[in-house]
Amino acid sequence: MLREYLLASATPPDPAVRGLIAATEGLGEVAGMMVPAEQLALLTLLTRIAGARTVIDIGTLTGLSALAFARGLSADGKVITCDNSDRWLAVARAHWQGAGVADRIDFRLGPAARTLRALPEEQVVDIVFVDADKLNYPTYYDLAVPLLRPGGLLLLDNVLLDGFVTAPDLAGDSLRRKCAGVMREVNAAVAADDRLEVVMLPVADGVTIARKR
């Protein structure tokens, strides 16, 4: 399998990340929404390369992406992670604490747009990672770019949407078709945004990396 080869050819997840992956897989159906191991490694690497001190993580779930970012931050860095639900927050916090990074992660319950709008004007943001409800990606994109410092990164997850972005009408149900159409529009807008330098990578379900000029 190509994915197994890809994983074997990269630095393996550390014990903290492996433990949270296993805990998430044990929750059943929700595991289908988690960020896969190969993408977690990319998030940590990008955080280190960018020298990021403040990361906004839109979509917490069991805290895997927040953990991946926190592993790449300096000790004084901060991940602000937000979600409409705190259903799996206890799982997330237990593993953040076990990894020794709980003090670097600030969970905020509520709509992500509200969290973004509530940030102080003087807040310097190095990375914004969007991995939440797909229908609101246009709002998150509009709010995120002005927050980023020059050189900051906008990361969009699931930009391929299982390939349906190329043909939204082929998606199996009406919600999936609508999400694919919205994602297709967002992908086009980001690619055409002259504030950004953009590349889309076919990692997992697709991730876009956009650097603010």
Side-chain angles (χ1 to χ4, degrees), residues 4-205:
E4 280 68 30
Y5 181 77
L6 185 154
L7 289 169
S9 301
T11 302
D14 62 33
V17 173
R18 287 201 306 271
L20 186 48
I21 289 173
T24 305
E25 289 174 340
L27 295 175
E29 188 175 337
V30 68
M33 295 188 289
M34 75 176 178
V35 178
E38 63 271 30
Q39 193 169 329
L40 294 169
L42 177 62
L43 299 183
T44 301
L45 186 61
L46 289 173
T47 305
R48 290 183 174 139
I49 290 172
R53 296 184 62 189
T54 301
V55 176
I56 310 297
D57 175 42
I58 300 175
T60 307
L61 198 64
T62 60
L64 268 166
S65 54
L67 175 58
F69 285 121
R71 300 296 273 174
L73 291 173
S74 59
D76 62 344
K78 184 69 68 177
V79 179
I80 299 171
T81 185
C82 57
D83 205 299
N84 276 326
S85 171
D86 61 358
R87 180 176 178 183
W88 299 284
L89 184 58
V91 175
R93 281 187 168 149
H95 286 82
W96 296 341
Q97 290 168 358
V101 297
D103 60 330
R104 303 179 199 173
I105 302 175
D106 176 10
F107 174 77
R108 302 188 184 181
L109 180 63
R114 184 179 71 191
T115 298
L116 293 173
R117 291 187 177 108
L119 293 172
E121 290 185 8
E122 65 273 13
Q123 177 75 64
V124 177
V125 177
D126 302 292
I127 296 175
V128 178
F129 178 56
V130 181
D131 183 24
D133 53 314
K134 310 313 171 195
L135 296 181
N136 277 318
Y137 265 45
T139 299
Y140 303 148
Y141 157 57
D142 287 341
L143 292 172
V145 176
L147 291 171
L148 288 166
R149 64 166 172 82
L153 301 177
L154 172 66
L155 310 177
L156 302 176
D157 196 17
N158 303 115
V159 293
L160 297 179
L161 210 68
D162 294 325
F164 289 121
V165 289
T166 62
D169 288 344
L170 297 181
D173 60 77
S174 59
L175 178 59
R176 196 72 167 164
R177 288 194 294 274
K178 189 171 183 180
C179 288
V182 169
M183 189 64 71
R184 183 182 177 93
E185 292 172 3
V186 170
N187 289 342
V190 172
D193 192 331
D194 60 10
R195 298 171 296 176
L196 303 171
E197 299 172 272
V198 182
V199 63
M200 182 184 289
L201 302 178
V203 175
D205 193 26

